[in-house]
């Protein structure tokens, strides 16, 4: 709220409350909860590696819903990005029990949630980026 006051942006938050609710759930609530549970088994450095695929998820989701177009360079970047995450996380010390795999899935789910939120924000017309950030919090 204070950032809107300092920037002299008097936005009508109630006018787009459904949009802000959806953005808040997928851009804040889900990822924070999922990373919180994943943090029971992994360090913050490992969690940052699990967060790295967020733009990759955004691109893949965008391909499916029509926000993005596939190009060879992007496909190569997608493969290199996923390989990099696999290599970095694969060299991290982890316990190989079921809870470790569950935490990996939770961390990747949080990154997927960020991808959903970014594509939802792209599709929504008439809501400024500042308003998306402000309203989703």
């Amino acid at each position: 709220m204070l950032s809107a006051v300092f920037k002299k942006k008097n936005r009508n938050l109630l006018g787009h409350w459904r949009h802000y609710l959806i953005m808040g759930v997928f851009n804040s609530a889900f990822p924070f909860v999922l990373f919180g549970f994943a943090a029971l088994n992994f360090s913050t450095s490992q969690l940052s590696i699990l967060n790295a695929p967020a733009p990759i998820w955004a691109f893949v989701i965008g391909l499916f819903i029509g926000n993005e177009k596939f190009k060879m360079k992007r496909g190569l970047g997608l493969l290199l990005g996923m390989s990099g995450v696999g290599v970095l996380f694969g060299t991290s010390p982890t316990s190989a029990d079921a809870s470790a795999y569950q935490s990996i899935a939770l961390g990747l789910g949080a990154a997927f949630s960020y991808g959903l939120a970014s594509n939802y924000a792209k599709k929504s017309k008439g809501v400024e980026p500042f308003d998306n950030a402000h309203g989703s919090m």
Side-chain angles (χ1 to χ4, degrees):
M1 278 308 240
L2 286 177
S3 62
V5 171
F6 288 128
K7 291 184 179 255
K8 298 188 187 317
K9 293 189 178 219
N10 188 9
R11 303 295 183 178
N12 180 12
L13 291 178
L14 296 178
H16 298 287
W17 72 269
R18 284 184 189 98
H19 171 77
Y20 297 139
L21 178 66
I22 292 168
M23 284 294 294
V25 166
F26 288 106
N27 206 34
S28 296
F30 279 169
F32 292 0
V33 168
L34 294 175
F35 276 130
F37 281 111
L40 296 173
N41 289 315
F42 295 125
S43 67
T44 54
S45 60
Q46 290 171 311
L47 292 176
S48 67
I49 295 169
L50 290 176
N51 191 40
I56 296 169
W57 283 124
F59 174 68
V60 170
I61 294 166
L63 282 175
F64 281 108
I65 64 173
N67 277 356
E68 300 285 345
K69 295 191 186 210
F70 185 80
K71 295 179 182 172
M72 193 55 89
K73 285 183 180 181
R74 288 181 172 189
L76 181 61
L78 178 74
L79 288 174
L80 287 172
M82 289 306 285
S83 299
V85 169
V87 166
L88 286 174
F89 199 80
T91 60
S92 297
T94 60
S95 58
D97 61 354
S99 65
Y101 293 116
Q102 183 182 28
S103 292
I104 291 170
L106 290 171
L108 292 175
F112 183 80
S113 185
Y114 286 134
L116 286 173
S118 68
N119 277 286
Y120 179 75
K122 280 183 189 177
K123 283 281 193 183
S124 62
K125 303 293 182 203
V127 181
E128 307 254 338
F130 178 86
D131 295 340
N132 274 329
H134 186 244
S136 68
M137 284 298 174

